[in-house]
Each structure stands twice: as structure tokens, then as C-alpha cells.
Amino acid sequence: MPSVGVKLYSVFFKFLLKHRLQNRIQSEDSSSSSDPFGVTTRPEESVSPPNPLFTDGVATKDIHIDPLTSLSVRIFLPESALSPASGSHSGKSRSFNSLAGSDLLLRRNSHGSSNSLSSHKSEARRSSYVYTTSSASSSSGEEVYRGYAPSSSGKCRKLPVMLQFHGGGWVSGSNDSVANDFFCRRMAKHCDVIVLAVGYRLAPENRYPAACEDGFKVLQWLGKQANLAECNKSMGGLRRGGGGGEVKKSDASKHVVDAFGASLVEPWLASHADPSRCVLLGVSCGANIADYVSRKAIEAGQNLDPVKVVAQVLMYPFFIGTVPTQSEIKQANSYFYDKPMCILAWKLFLPEEEFSLDHPAANPLVPDRGPPLKFMPPTLTIVAEHDWMRDRAIAYSEELRKVNVDAPVLEYKDAVHEFATLDMLLRTPQAQACAEDIAIWVKKYISLRGHEFSY
């Protein structure tokens, strides 16, 4: 059973969540129209500012990618990107072959943690990037960017890209919250990937399909960035500051832009991102978005080139349906997110004329939901023992396995919904173990052919 502290915090969390949902309903009733620009965070959220320096092994920056909406991303670049490319990997060797075998439903009983990918900070590596600490303006009066800027040598290490979609029951949460920032930093270091945390529009200001379309729009933006980077490379590379290590804003105007001038080449992604190894990771309702984006990527096909979704991770998906499962009956009043409050969240998210617990965004088991399941990418599903939504997530994974999709399930004993991402649970051994398990599985699909690692 969960600890007494978790139980007490769950009571407080439910009270606070119910209050916020009721406020959302009242604010919607008092508003005559919705704003398509939308919001991606709430005033009550504790946010973490971006830090473009590798103070803890990961540098971050925020980018607003759509001028017509509030859609944004936070980039998490691990310091391992500064290492020279190598086919070798030092670290603890572990086996994850059991996920591909017959025992596809695993129950995690041990909560111990293992060594994560270490961050090396040698002077040799520091010489490969610009790391400015000068004042906010240069001697010429131009504003100076104080943070990491890729080397102009063009010999930068390429890392896979992970799109991360936060949870929050559609109406709360943000990509720059303190908890989500901590989780994304952890995933960037454990998986050795560039994480793009998506700040999608929240409900009820923007109902379905706004949040889901925002997720796919980021995938399209990633493809555009890759194509712009190739064009920029053919024109002689990115212009950067001189020996002083300063990157001036005037240089940005010389970068290649798209047809409408709306997108500059993002230097971190241009130098370090490999979009052909893209992983989607969704937390709670973010898992629903990840599954939606996977389906849209299948439909788009080669139009997304060079982006390729090679795997997805669904962490305790926010699935529901009209016909209840056993866990929905027995654990309807479970910890943190009980069923009545989740139904209220769905009412705030889905348009009134479309509301149904069997809506394609809510129930993955409804027929004619999209592309055939056999085309879905390998899918790792994380479920918690004390989560009423667990059975439907397991059933979806079983349907994927029936059509030969690699779709293992990791079930964590004595765990609750959002046990690995909720603020008070982030530093528990169980949350650490979950991050390591995800990294082990993901690396099967993002390792370069010929340089596969043994974990």
C-alpha cells in the first residue's frame, strides 16, 4: 500500500484539484467566447525558468513556435551532446530482453536505483562550445546571448529527440513547471536524448482537438527545423560570433528562414538533433496526445521526412470508456485522480456536442479509430497498481501485441497515478527506477545501427 504521507497528500491534492476544476467551469460559464491563442500554464503553477548553461548537466531554452497560438516548447539539451561521436558506451550493462519475450506484463517490485548516465565536465569538452558569461550587452551596443552556442566546426554529436507531453487532466500543468522540468532533465540524462517538452494549449479555453493538434504541430516543426538546417548547411553554415564567444542578434537575421519568414534555424537542434530517431513520451493525458501524434505521423508518412517516430512511451494513460473495466469499478475512488473528477476533466476538454467516454481521444479500444494498429510504433506502457485507469491501458497494449507490435507493459507495485512525475514523488526510488526502465527500453530503438548498446 502507498505510504501514509502519500495518502494524506492525495486527500489534499483531490481537494485542490476539485476546486480548480470548479473554477474552470465557472470561468468558462462567464466567458462568452474562447480565445484561439489559448494558455499553456496557470497562475498557480510553480514554474522553473530556462537556463541555457550546463549547470546540472542539462541546458534549457524556451521557444514560442506558433505566432497564432501560445504553443511553445522547452528544449532540454544534455551535456553529453558535447562529447565527440563514438561507437562505444561506458556504463552499466543491463538486459531488457524479457520485454520482447513471452512475459510482457512485468511487475516492478524492487525500488532500488542504478547509476544514471554521468556528466563529464572536462576542459577538453568545454573547449568545444561557446559558454559566455559576459554582461547583457557587448561593446558595440548589441544584445549578447549568454549561454551555450554550438561550435562552428560542424562536428557536433547528434542525439535522438524525445517529444514529451505533460499531464494535468487537460486543464492544468505546463511544460515549464518545476516538476516537469525536473522530470525532463532526468529523461534527457538517462536516455541521452534531446527532450522537447511541449507546452500545448489547455482546456477549457481550447477544447479538443487543440492540445492534440499542438502535439502534431511540434512534430511538423521539428521536421521543418531539420530541413532548414540542411539548407543552412548548404549555404555555408550558421554565422556565429568571433573568438570572444558572443552570439549577436544581428547574426540571426542572416540565418535561413522558411517561406514566410516565420522560423529561424534553431542552433541547438540544427547541430545536435537527429529527427530520424524520434521518441514520443506522454504523461497521463499527455499519453493520449502522444498516441494521437503517433497516429497522425503514420497518416502523414513521408511528408514528415526526415522525422521518424521510432517508439512511444505511454505513462499511465488517461484512458476511459463507457463500459467500465475491473479496475475502474474497484478503484474508482483511487489516489490523486478519482474517476468522478476525471470525467469532469473530460467534460471540460471535449466539445459539448462531442462528449462521450468512448470518444477516440478517450477510449483507445473503440473501432475505426485511425490507422490499423499494426502500423503503430513500438509502445511501452507504464501502469500503477493503485490506478483505476490501468486495465484499459493494459488492454490497449494487448491489442497492439496481437498485431505484432512490440508493446510491453511495466506495472509498478504499490504505485499511484503519476507516481514518477508528481512533484512530491519525483525523488522516490520508485520514480528513479521507472526512469531507468524507460531509458533501457527506449535505447533499443534509438541506438544507431552497428553501435547498439547493451543495457
Side-chain angles (χ1 to χ4, degrees), residues 161-369:
V161 179
M162 174 181 285
L163 266 61
Q164 188 264 358
F165 307 96
H166 65 81
W170 303 117
V171 300
S172 61
S174 68
N175 66 329
D176 58 356
S177 68
V178 173
N180 200 67
D181 185 88
F182 182 93
F183 174 74
C184 289
R185 287 175 180 273
R186 172 180 279 173
M187 296 312 301
K189 288 188 280 189
H190 276 55
C191 298
D192 200 22
V193 296
I194 299 173
V195 177
L196 300 185
V198 180
Y200 56 84
R201 289 171 290 171
L202 302 176
E205 291 87 348
N206 295 97
R207 293 176 178 257
Y208 177 86
C212 298
E213 289 182 344
D214 285 350
F216 185 61
K217 191 175 292 185
V218 173
L219 199 66
Q220 293 175 310
W221 176 81
L222 179 62
K224 178 188 289 186
Q225 283 295 317
N227 291 323
L228 288 175
E230 284 300 315
C231 292
N232 196 75
K233 185 185 300 183
S234 65
M235 296 179 65
L238 296 172
R239 295 176 59 89
R240 294 183 176 85
E246 297 179 350
V247 180
K248 300 178 180 179
K249 282 193 170 182
S250 60
D251 292 334
S253 62
K254 300 179 180 67
H255 295 176
V256 173
V257 298
D258 65 8
F260 301 98
S263 294
L264 292 172
V265 174
E266 208 304 302
W268 289 10
L269 298 182
S271 298
H272 297 293
D274 180 1
S276 67
R277 294 180 289 159
C278 182
V279 177
L280 308 180
L281 184 148
V283 176
S284 190
C285 66
N288 299 46
I289 298 176
D291 193 63
Y292 174 95
V293 174
S294 291
R295 294 173 180 273
K296 296 295 289 186
I298 294 170
E299 294 174 354
Q302 295 183 348
N303 290 331
L304 276 179
D305 284 349
V307 175
K308 182 179 180 181
V309 176
V310 298
Q312 67 172 348
V313 180
L314 308 182
M315 300 183 69
Y316 21 83
F318 207 64
F319 293 151
I320 196 171
T322 301
V323 179
T325 63
Q326 285 296 313
S327 63
E328 291 174 6
I329 296 173
K330 295 180 179 180
Q331 304 186 59
N333 194 35
S334 58
Y335 303 96
F336 294 101
Y337 293 88
D338 59 37
K339 189 173 181 180
M341 279 195 293
C342 290
I343 291 177
L344 182 56
W346 278 108
K347 288 181 178 179
L348 288 169
F349 175 65
L350 295 174
E352 292 183 13
E353 64 277 8
E354 295 183 32
F355 177 76
S356 170
L357 296 184
D358 284 332
H359 189 283
N363 189 353
L365 304 178
V366 295
D368 303 324
R369 188 165 171 257

Side-chain angles (χ1 to χ4, degrees), residues 30-194:
S30 62
S31 177
S32 58
S33 60
S34 61
D35 180 8
F37 191 80
V39 296
T40 59
T41 188
R42 302 293 183 190
E44 63 268 16
E45 292 282 350
S46 297
V47 299
S48 178
N51 184 357
L53 306 179
F54 296 97
T55 52
D56 65 345
V58 179
T60 62
K61 71 163 68 169
D62 292 339
I63 300 178
H64 179 215
I65 67 173
D66 184 6
L68 301 180
T69 70
S70 55
L71 175 61
S72 63
V73 296
R74 171 164 289 188
I75 303 177
F76 294 80
L77 180 69
E79 196 171 12
S80 59
L82 310 181
S83 300
S86 172
S88 62
H89 177 76
S90 60
K92 190 171 182 178
S93 178
R94 301 174 65 182
S95 174
F96 209 63
N97 293 332
S98 57
L99 287 185
S102 58
D103 187 15
L104 289 163
L105 176 58
L106 304 183
R107 183 182 291 271
R108 181 70 182 240
N109 291 307
S110 62
H111 305 323
S113 60
S114 61
N115 294 331
S116 61
L117 298 179
S118 60
S119 173
H120 305 288
K121 299 182 179 180
S122 65
E123 290 301 320
R125 285 179 57 189
R126 288 193 179 278
S127 64
S128 66
Y129 62 88
V130 179
Y131 192 5
T132 71
T133 56
S134 59
S135 60
S137 59
S138 64
S139 58
S140 62
E142 295 190 41
E143 188 173 347
V144 174
Y145 167 68
R146 294 182 294 172
Y148 167 63
S151 169
S152 59
S153 65
K155 298 180 180 179
C156 297
R157 183 183 176 206
K158 296 286 187 177
L159 294 180
V161 179
M162 174 181 285
L163 266 61
Q164 188 264 358
F165 307 96
H166 65 81
W170 303 117
V171 300
S172 61
S174 68
N175 66 329
D176 58 356
S177 68
V178 173
N180 200 67
D181 185 88
F182 182 93
F183 174 74
C184 289
R185 287 175 180 273
R186 172 180 279 173
M187 296 312 301
K189 288 188 280 189
H190 276 55
C191 298
D192 200 22
V193 296
I194 299 173

Side-chain angles (χ1 to χ4, degrees), residues 392-409:
R392 200 172 298 272
I394 294 172
Y396 180 47
S397 181
E398 291 173 350
E399 292 299 313
L400 290 172
R401 291 199 296 275
K402 287 179 182 179
V403 291
N404 298 320
V405 175
D406 182 20
V409 175

